[in-house]
Amino acid sequence: MMRRFLRLLTLTLLFLPTAYTSRAQKNTTPLYSISGQVVNAETGAPVPLASFVVNNTLGVVTDEAGKFKLDRLKGGQITYHVSFLGFSPVERKITLSADIKDLKIALEPLTLGLEEVVVTAQPTDAGSTSKIGEEAIRHIQPMSISDMFQLLPGNLSTNPGLNVASQASIREIGSNANNAMGAAVVVDGAPLSNDSNLQALSPSLAGSASNQSMNGMNDQTTAGKGVDLRSISPDNVESMEVIRGIPSVEYGNLTSGVVIVKTKTGATPWEAKFKADPYSKMIYAGKGFALDNGGAINAGVDWTQSFGDTRKRYLGYDRITATIGYSNNIDVAGRPMLLRINGTFYSNVNNSKTDPQMQITSSTYENQYIGARLNLEGSWKLNGTVLSALDYNLMVSQSYQSDRLHEYVSSPSGVITNTTTPGMNEGIFLPSTYYSDYEIEGKPLNIYLQVKANKIIQFGGGNFTNLRIGADWRYDTNYGRGLIFDVLLPPQSTSSQTLRPRSFRDIPALNNLALFAEDRLNLKLGSTSLALQAGVRLTNMFLDPQARQDDIFTVEPRVNLTYTLFDGPKSMLALTGGWGLSYKAPTLLYLYPDNVYFDRVSLAKVSNSDPNGSLAVLSTDILTNLANPDLKPARSRKFEAGLTFRLGTVRGAVTYFHEKHTNEFGFASRPHYMHYVTFDVPTSATDLRFEEGQVTYTDQAGQKTTAATRQDDYIGTYYTPTNNSRSEKQGVEYSLDLGTWRALRTSLFIDGAWFHIRRTDEQDYYSKVTENDDYIRLMPAGSGTIQDRVNTNFRFITHIPQLKLVFSTTMQVVWYESEQNIWQDEAGNNRFQPTADGQFLQICPLGFYDKQGNYTPWQTEFASDSRYSQMVSRSLLTAYDRETFRPWVMFNFRLTKEIGRIVELSFTANNFTRTSRWHYYDTRTGYKQIYPDMYFGAELKLHIGSKR
């Protein structure tokens, strides 16, 4: 019923403007215009490219003289908002009853001398959405945009660092690959894509890992995860908005939420920045140049180096980012069009081979990630009877990814083969020890194109509807050479499943086409008002026959509602709510897995005295066409309800949310039953030869003899991509702004959340206890974790305009935190039970397979049978108890001081009380560090020149 209702509601809202259009044509209500100029409040100079928006819908940007004109407006009370990079925005309400001409709007340059400075994330009117503005960014001194997430309700402070891949984390405790992959990161209107990232050693052998060693190499790669946020320099960011709830249908290919990044544009003074802490250093320079035609070029470049541990400099990270953008407001057919062209180059290089300390570990790795993006963005403000605006966005991104490993192999498997055809082949003896080198080379290409058409229909009295329809197309492919290594010196193999080189160029490209329609309705209902956003998104994913399934088609309805009960000069109360579906399409890594190669030794005879007495023969099974025909897109269903209020200078918001994420991506083990021949050759044999599937040798009597054979069996496992997990989340997010105590020049901002996350594996899986077991067990689904956390951040912000100084002290309190391992069936019943002696808990398999592939259902008595008991998974009696952490409090401090008009000095200190505590687990062995290490850093900014 709910689905039918929402579909009917969506269709009704989409067709509602048609009815109002006919009424509007008959309506003789007069239309008015607003024109004026935006200037610098200090110098009086015009501010070109400033944004002038009425009621968050209709808008234009100023020309080279700072002038603007917006016509065809119906009368009544309206709210206009004016903003531009480097200036404090202006928002005012006016009553429109006649044309307004020569409206002069003076923007104050952003400075700590202003009466109001915002250094926190601000909730917006669109549900659970937070916006982090320019002042907040400069105050927290981020090294990556992931550092800005600490300002969101429910997130904890972390120390800045770039030594590991940086991932988005939305409504999450810790980190999760599916959560990061489901976060859409949109930069200047175009989403960044990681869908063609294939930097994995072998998905069938190691999943999404780039190697099988614990040397930190995997920390630098993001295959099967989200976008690496380190490729975006925070120094070139004007603002960041995070939609944690239900986004507009114009955003697709997501499950967790949307991160909207807007980069700097327009004319700005020269800015130089120097940042340093015990682990990192950063240099940045940028400038926005005004052009004679009213346009502007904004450019910036930065270099950052970071070390997680200065004793291990080979784990360091270097980033170079350069950006250049052109923006202008041009006339097209008599109507203004805002045009932005942005180019970005980024490079991160981690070359451990130059560090002599790596000689101790006998292995080195190098990670390179170099890329460029070109973004063309435009908005044509038609403001006509048919269309109000036409927006378009084109993004092309090309990158080069390389992961290289130089590893010492001390105990190789002995013999190898490089065949790519199944059967028996003569093998190659490996040396007893050697160095292996391999490279994973990727060249992802991503193209995104979106076109949107808006029609705004005004009803008068502040009532209007905004109908938006559009389409977008995504193309993702990879031209890299893939996995490359010397087949005579292969990477270390831990089982009979071995590796072969694989080219990424043979993998088909991804093609996604989406259509969307949405209506945003604003109505005054007596003393109340209603804002309703409803839409639907239709997406088709075109698949190559190699995917072994038809195209994937998804339908995503989404609804957001805000019902304002009253909105007066001193108080306001509104109810908010939303419901929606969203999907994240599988990436190339999951759609097109690699082949599987199993090599078993049929003969390996070595003679040190006889050159013809050594021979190796291997039997090879090759599994191809392993794409999962049942692979589905990850699915997210979200519901939320809340309220926002204002009472005097106190403002607040609270939101309850419930999310179900199903069909999350992962890799599941599969069995392979291999039957092959082995040869029996005596130790005295000489002149060994392998011909036509037979081994011959010369015996002690000098006779040529054919080796005897016997049949052997082996059970192997490999990984295939699948939808094997789900996450269920619920919680409450809240924020409260208590205003400013004028006597102390101090304000208090409180935010926090309760998160409850239940994450489980949904598929039975195959597992071997040891490599050469005679059986492979089938273990039941249902293993997972339950996490809870309740935290509050008390942000005391002191701002002294006379001194151009702002400092903030954050008291971060974690009231409650717990985690629990679970293993339950679909009904929520525990699958574990005590062992017969009561010393352990055990999970019994559902059954097992022998080497011939025969299945035996599990029986209770098998747990005490020595032939089968090793297949029972045993753990401590406390393994599934809830682990609860004691409450803890941490203090952070930040200071920003302007010195004159040129110099700005910032300082930050996390955990400045230097509190340290370790939690020793009660439910298992080990411990966890509760407080992050004490961190301090300083930043010096130089502003050269003045704003126009």
Side-chain angles (χ1 to χ4, degrees):
M1 290 296 294
M2 177 61 73
R3 291 186 178 181
R4 292 181 180 177
F5 170 75
L6 288 171
R7 289 175 183 172
L8 179 61
L9 177 62
T10 301
L11 291 173
T12 301
L13 290 171
L14 292 177
F15 287 104
L16 186 62
T18 305
Y20 277 107
T21 302
S22 61
R23 289 180 56 187
Q25 291 174 349
K26 299 177 182 179
N27 200 326
T28 58
T29 304
L31 301 177
Y32 305 107
S33 65
I34 300 178
S35 60
Q37 185 183 33
V38 179
V39 299
N40 185 320
E42 288 187 354
T43 64
V47 180
L49 301 178
S51 173
F52 180 88
V53 181
V54 171
N55 292 336
N56 291 321
T57 52
L58 289 169
V60 292
V61 295
T62 57
D63 60 16
E64 65 271 18
K67 294 184 178 181
F68 65 90
K69 183 177 181 181
L70 191 61
D71 51 17
R72 300 181 61 83
L73 297 174
K74 287 196 174 183
Q77 188 181 72
I78 64 170
T79 301
Y80 67 81
H81 183 89
V82 185
S83 61
F84 186 68
L85 173 67
F87 290 87
S88 180
V90 170
E91 184 172 289
R92 296 193 180 102
K93 291 183 178 181
I94 60 173
T95 299
L96 188 62
S97 57
D99 291 345
I100 298 179
K101 300 179 180 179
D102 301 325
L103 177 66
K104 181 162 274 192
I105 303 169
L107 296 182
E108 295 280 355
L110 279 179
T111 170
L112 298 182
L114 295 177
E115 281 298 316
E116 185 177 0
V117 174
V118 180
V119 295
T120 60
Q122 295 296 295
T124 69
D125 296 333
S128 50
T129 302
S130 298
K131 186 171 183 179
I132 302 171
E134 187 179 355
E135 292 169 307
I137 295 173
R138 67 193 273 206
H139 186 61
I140 63 174
Q141 306 158 50
M143 296 186 66
S144 166
I145 66 170
S146 62
D147 296 330
M148 304 180 197
F149 283 74
Q150 63 187 287
L151 296 180
L152 302 180
N155 284 29
L156 301 182
S157 299
T158 57
N159 293 336
L162 298 173
N163 55 301
V164 297
S166 178
Q167 298 278 275
S169 181
I170 300 176
R171 287 177 173 169
E172 189 63 48
I173 300 175
S175 61
N176 178 264
N178 275 287
N179 181 273
M181 185 167 60
V185 181
V186 180
V187 179
D188 294 328
L192 305 185
S193 176
N194 201 45
D195 288 355
S196 54
N197 187 337
L198 290 165
Q199 298 302 112
L201 174 65
S202 169
S204 65
L205 177 65
S208 61
S210 57
N211 76 94
Q212 294 181 285
S213 304
M214 301 295 292
N215 57 11
M217 184 173 175
N218 287 318
D219 294 336
Q220 301 295 333
T221 57
T222 58
K225 303 177 184 177
V227 172
D228 191 345
L229 300 179
R230 295 178 299 180
S231 65
I232 308 171
S233 171
D235 300 303
N236 192 51
V237 173
E238 177 182 339
S239 65
M240 184 176 85
E241 186 174 342
V242 180
I243 303 174
R244 305 182 301 278
I246 297 94
S248 163
V249 293
E250 70 176 279
Y251 302 111
N253 204 28
L254 59 94
T255 52
S256 306
V258 186
V259 181
I260 303 172
V261 178
K262 182 180 179 182
T263 61
K264 294 179 179 178
T265 185
T268 59
W270 275 104
E271 181 179 88
K273 183 186 297 185
F274 309 90
K275 179 181 176 67
D277 60 39
Y279 309 99
S280 311
K281 50 183 175 287
M282 183 271 294
I283 301 173
Y284 167 81
K287 164 68 175 163
F289 302 90
L291 304 178
D292 292 338
N293 63 353
I297 294 177
N298 197 294
V301 61
D302 80 343
W303 171 76
T304 304
Q305 186 178 71
S306 176
F307 301 104
D309 187 336
T310 54
R311 297 169 299 178
K312 301 178 181 179
R313 299 182 69 86
Y314 60 90
L315 296 178
Y317 175 88
D318 293 88
R319 178 186 70 196
I320 299 173
T321 305
T323 60
I324 184 168
Y326 170 78
S327 55
N328 201 351
N329 190 26
I330 60 178
D331 184 275
V332 177
R335 291 294 181 180
M337 175 186 288
L338 175 62
L339 174 66
R340 292 187 64 187
I341 304 175
N342 293 287
T344 301
F345 169 81
Y346 50 91
S347 172
N348 48 55
V349 179
N350 177 14
N351 190 338
S352 60
K353 293 185 178 181
T354 60
D355 198 303
Q357 296 185 56
M358 284 299 293
Q359 296 176 3
I360 301 174
T361 66
S362 300
S363 66
T364 60
Y365 70 86
E366 179 182 359
N367 167 268
Q368 289 186 337
Y369 184 19
I370 304 171
R373 293 191 300 268
L374 179 65
N375 193 333
L376 175 63
E377 181 184 14
S379 180
W380 192 15
K381 304 299 183 181
L382 297 169
N383 199 18
T385 57
V386 178
L387 288 181
S388 300
L390 184 65
D391 302 332
Y392 59 90
N393 196 295
L394 172 65
M395 186 273 293
V396 179
S397 173
Q398 175 73 70
S399 60
Y400 170 79
Q401 301 171 342
S402 175
D403 294 285
R404 301 185 183 97
L405 179 68
H406 176 72
E407 186 174 36
Y408 181 70
V409 180
S410 59
S411 55
S413 58
V415 293
I416 60 167
T417 178
N418 58 6
T419 183
T420 55
T421 58
M424 282 192 296
N425 294 275
E426 190 167 341
I428 304 167
F429 285 99
L430 288 172
S432 58
T433 61
Y434 63 91
Y435 279 95
S436 174
D437 293 271
Y438 73 78
E439 178 183 6
I440 309 171
E441 183 198 77
K443 295 181 180 179
L445 171 67
N446 313 109
I447 302 175
Y448 175 81
L449 174 64
Q450 185 185 73
V451 179
K452 298 178 292 187
N454 284 13
K455 174 55 183 174
I456 300 173
I457 303 173
Q458 304 173 75
F459 310 143
N463 299 321
F464 62 89
T465 185
N466 183 359
L467 176 63
R468 175 177 299 180
I469 59 173
D472 59 54
W473 171 67
R474 301 166 187 255
Y475 179 83
D476 300 276
T477 191
N478 196 312
Y479 294 107
R481 292 181 297 164
L483 177 62
I484 310 163
F485 62 88
D486 184 349
V487 294
L488 300 180
L489 299 172
Q492 176 71 52
S493 178
T494 58
S495 69
S496 292
Q497 184 186 344
T498 55
L499 295 170
R500 302 289 192 275
R502 183 199 191 197
S503 175
F504 295 160
R505 300 170 185 174
D506 300 330
I507 299 175
L510 293 177
N511 274 285
N512 289 355
L513 178 64
L515 304 175
F516 57 88
E518 184 175 72
D519 188 35
R520 300 180 182 182
L521 180 65
N522 288 261
L523 292 177
K524 298 287 185 180
L525 305 174
S527 60
T528 67
S529 62
L530 174 68
L532 181 61
Q533 173 183 297
V536 63
R537 181 181 180 91
L538 310 176
T539 304
N540 193 80
M541 185 176 193
F542 300 92
L543 295 178
D544 187 89
Q546 291 185 38
R548 298 178 59 201
Q549 64 172 308
D550 296 330
D551 295 349
I552 296 176
F553 180 75
T554 58
V555 180
E556 302 168 76
R558 301 175 196 166
V559 178
N560 279 297
L561 179 146
T562 300
Y563 183 58
T564 304
L565 300 176
F566 56 87
D567 187 3
K570 295 184 178 181
S571 60
M572 182 274 291
L573 179 64
L575 304 178
T576 61
W579 181 92
L581 294 180
S582 58
Y583 291 89
K584 170 63 183 176
T587 68
L588 285 179
L589 185 73
Y590 295 102
L591 278 171
Y592 304 103
D594 54 339
N595 294 338
V596 176
Y597 299 86
F598 282 100
D599 297 320
R600 294 294 290 176
V601 177
S602 292
L603 174 66
K605 184 180 183 302
V606 179
S607 174
N608 295 324
S609 58
D610 180 10
N612 296 321
S614 298
L615 178 65
V617 178
L618 284 90
S619 295
T620 299
D621 276 4
I622 303 177
L623 308 182
T624 60
N625 299 322
L626 294 178
N628 185 352
D630 298 320
L631 191 67
K632 303 177 180 65
R635 181 178 186 267
S636 173
R637 186 183 70 184
K638 292 186 179 183
F639 164 78
E640 60 182 37
L643 60 88
T644 60
F645 62 90
R646 184 184 72 251
L647 183 60
T649 59
V650 177
R651 295 177 298 171
V654 60
T655 301
Y656 166 80
F657 66 87
H658 188 273
E659 303 179 0
K660 285 187 177 181
H661 302 269
T662 54
N663 299 330
E664 293 182 319
F665 300 115
F667 291 91
S669 60
R670 294 287 184 267
H672 175 63
Y673 309 100
M674 187 170 177
H675 311 290
Y676 62 101
V677 173
T678 61
F679 299 96
D680 292 327
V681 176
T683 56
S684 59
T686 60
D687 193 24
L688 275 75
R689 299 180 184 276
F690 176 71
E691 296 175 345
E692 298 181 355
Q694 297 291 332
V695 172
T696 60
Y697 63 91
T698 301
D699 59 17
Q700 287 182 323
Q703 298 293 322
K704 183 176 180 180
T705 305
T706 300
T709 63
R710 61 184 175 88
Q711 292 291 322
D712 208 344
D713 304 298
Y714 170 76
I715 307 175
T717 59
Y718 62 97
Y719 290 107
T720 59
T722 187
N723 307 106
N724 63 346
S725 66
R726 65 178 291 158
S727 301
E728 186 168 347
K729 302 181 180 183
Q730 60 177 321
V732 176
E733 297 171 322
Y734 55 90
S735 62
L736 182 64
D737 187 350
L738 295 178
T740 302
W741 297 309
R742 294 296 178 184
L744 300 177
R745 306 294 306 181
T746 299
S747 59
L748 174 59
F749 189 86
I750 303 172
D751 64 73
W754 161 58
F755 288 159
H756 174 81
I757 302 175
R758 187 180 192 273
R759 184 167 282 125
T760 54
D761 292 329
E762 296 297 299
Q763 292 184 357
D764 304 334
Y765 66 94
Y766 297 89
S767 170
K768 293 177 66 175
V769 179
T770 63
E771 171 63 19
N772 294 313
D773 277 352
D774 292 333
Y775 304 103
I776 184 169
R777 58 186 177 176
L778 178 62
M779 299 299 292
S783 62
T785 58
I786 296 177
Q787 296 174 286
D788 283 274
R789 188 174 69 200
V790 181
N791 79 289
T792 304
N793 291 318
F794 299 88
R795 308 180 193 273
F796 297 89
I797 303 164
T798 300
H799 174 218
I800 306 176
Q802 295 82 356
L803 300 180
K804 294 187 176 180
L805 170 72
V806 60
F807 61 88
S808 61
T809 303
T810 301
M811 183 174 70
Q812 177 178 281
V813 184
V814 177
W815 307 100
Y816 176 82
E817 185 173 4
S818 69
E819 57 186 40
Q820 180 182 5
N821 293 323
I822 59 173
W823 205 325
Q824 300 173 343
D825 59 21
E826 294 181 356
N829 301 311
N830 292 328
R831 290 189 180 272
F832 53 83
Q833 56 187 356
T835 56
D837 58 8
Q839 299 296 312
F840 300 95
L841 294 177
Q842 64 182 11
I843 303 288
C844 295
L846 299 174
F848 57 87
Y849 293 83
D850 61 18
K851 290 184 177 181
Q852 285 71 42
N854 300 314
Y855 179 72
T856 302
W858 187 260
Q859 300 178 32
T860 304
E861 59 268 22
F862 287 171
S864 56
D865 190 324
S866 59
R867 295 173 298 173
Y868 313 118
S869 59
Q870 73 275 11
M871 289 188 283
V872 177
S873 177
R874 292 180 174 86
S875 56
L876 298 174
L877 290 174
T878 57
Y880 298 99
D881 291 345
R882 178 176 297 174
E883 185 78 33
T884 302
F885 302 89
R886 288 182 297 170
W888 57 282
V889 180
M890 186 178 75
F891 293 90
N892 302 328
F893 177 81
R894 288 181 174 83
L895 178 145
T896 305
K897 173 72 172 76
E898 291 180 0
I899 305 174
R901 291 181 172 269
I902 297 178
V903 179
E904 180 180 306
L905 181 64
S906 300
F907 176 80
T908 183
N910 290 342
N911 190 15
F912 63 80
T913 58
R914 205 170 185 176
T915 306
S916 178
R917 196 178 88 212
W918 299 83
H919 174 84
Y920 290 86
Y921 288 102
D922 296 322
T923 60
R924 58 185 183 273
T925 58
Y927 53 87
K928 174 183 177 180
Q929 184 178 1
I930 298 298
Y931 292 85
D933 294 329
M934 179 183 179
Y935 168 89
F936 57 90
E939 181 177 284
L940 176 67
K941 274 186 188 178
L942 300 178
H943 300 274
I944 304 172
S946 60
K947 301 184 189 298
R948 290 183 52 175

